[in-house]
Amino acid sequence: HVHLTGRGDQEGSAKKARMTSEEIVFTKEDEGEVKFPHNDALVIKARISNAEVLRIMIDTGSSVNVMYKDCYDQLGLGANQLKPSPEPLYGFTGDAVIPIGQVRLPLSIGDPARQATTLADFLMVNGASAYNVVLGRPAMNNLDMVVSTKALMIKFPMTSGVGTVRGEQYTARRCYVKVVKIGVTYKRI
C-alpha cells in the first residue's frame, strides 16, 4: 500500500547525500527491538514521488531498482511517464522478466529532520510480489547508504551527522510468508 502525502508535484532538484566527517558504525543499541535470532529481509518505508511507500525491500544483490506495476498505479502516475526499458531483467536462476518500462522518480529516505533525496531510476515490472519496490545498488549508492541486516537498519551521511532508517521486522516477516505463498502458486517442476 502507498499513502499519498504532501505535495503532488515532482519538480525541484534532487538533493545528493553529502559526506559527513562522522564515522558510520552500528552498535548493539542499533539493534533496538529486533527479535533474535533472525535472517529477515530489510524492509523499509520511504517517500517516492508524492507518496509514502511501504514494503520496500533493500536488496544489496540487485543491480537495478524495481517498482511493481501495482505500486506505480497507486502512485497515480500515467503510462506516458514510462520510457522504454533497454533490456530484460535476469534473476539469479536465469529467469528473464521483460520490464514494462522505466521511470525516474524522487526517492527520499529518513525522517524529515534527517532526510536524503535522490532521483532514482526504477524498472517497472508487472507481476505478483509481496513488495512494492526493490531498492538495489543504484539507489543505495546514490544515497551513500550503509546497511546492517543484523540490526535491520540503514545509515547514511548527512551534512550534519548521520541519518537512519529502521527496518520493519514484522512487515518483513509478513512479506516472507506472502512470497512463499506466491512461490507455491507459480511452482514449476
Side-chain angles (χ1 to χ4, degrees), residues 134-145:
V134 175
L135 271 188
R137 292 188 308 269
M140 294 170 62
N141 290 337
N142 284 347
L143 294 167
D144 297 320
M145 291 169 45

Side-chain angles (χ1 to χ4, degrees), residues 49-116:
S49 188
N50 63 342
E52 181 180 51
V53 178
L54 310 177
R55 299 189 333 265
I56 299 173
M57 183 177 73
I58 305 301
D59 185 353
T60 60
S62 179
S63 61
V64 296
N65 304 311
V66 175
M67 180 178 287
Y68 289 90
K69 185 177 183 306
D70 288 345
C71 177
Y72 185 80
D73 292 343
Q74 287 184 42
L75 290 173
L77 304 172
N80 61 334
Q81 291 183 267
L82 289 175
K83 295 179 183 171
S85 180
E87 55 194 48
L89 291 175
Y90 293 95
F92 66 89
T93 62
D95 293 346
V97 175
I98 307 296
I100 299 168
Q102 62 183 351
V103 64
R104 178 172 285 178
L105 298 170
L107 165 69
S108 298
I109 61 169
D111 60 49
R114 291 196 175 266
Q115 190 173 72

Side-chain angles (χ1 to χ4, degrees), residues 11-181:
E11 299 299 321
S13 61
K15 295 178 264 180
K16 176 72 172 109
R18 292 186 169 75
M19 296 304 271
T20 179
S21 59
E22 192 174 324
E23 287 186 26
I24 294 181
V25 296
F26 293 92
T27 65
K28 210 62 166 149
E29 288 77 37
D30 289 326
E31 293 172 4
E33 297 182 19
V34 173
K35 310 272 187 283
F36 289 98
H38 85 84
N39 285 307
D40 298 315
L42 180 51
V43 177
I44 66 166
K45 60 184 171 187
R47 188 174 174 82
I48 300 175
S49 188
N50 63 342
E52 181 180 51
V53 178
L54 310 177
R55 299 189 333 265
I56 299 173
M57 183 177 73
I58 305 301
D59 185 353
T60 60
S62 179
S63 61
V64 296
N65 304 311
V66 175
M67 180 178 287
Y68 289 90
K69 185 177 183 306
D70 288 345
C71 177
Y72 185 80
D73 292 343
Q74 287 184 42
L75 290 173
L77 304 172
N80 61 334
Q81 291 183 267
L82 289 175
K83 295 179 183 171
S85 180
E87 55 194 48
L89 291 175
Y90 293 95
F92 66 89
T93 62
D95 293 346
V97 175
I98 307 296
I100 299 168
Q102 62 183 351
V103 64
R104 178 172 285 178
L105 298 170
L107 165 69
S108 298
I109 61 169
D111 60 49
R114 291 196 175 266
Q115 190 173 72
T117 301
T118 190
L119 285 174
D121 293 319
F122 295 94
L123 292 180
M124 189 68 44
V125 173
N126 190 10
S129 176
Y131 306 101
N132 288 312
V133 170
V134 175
L135 271 188
R137 292 188 308 269
M140 294 170 62
N141 290 337
N142 284 347
L143 294 167
D144 297 320
M145 291 169 45
V146 181
V147 174
S148 170
T149 55
K150 182 176 183 181
L152 295 177
M153 180 181 276
I154 296 166
K155 292 190 178 186
F156 53 93
M158 303 290 302
T159 52
S160 60
V162 175
T164 61
V165 177
R166 284 203 175 276
E168 300 177 341
Q169 190 173 29
Y170 177 74
T171 300
R173 289 179 176 187
R174 284 185 30 228
C175 288
Y176 176 76
V177 169
K178 186 172 181 180
V179 166
V180 169
K181 287 180 182 175

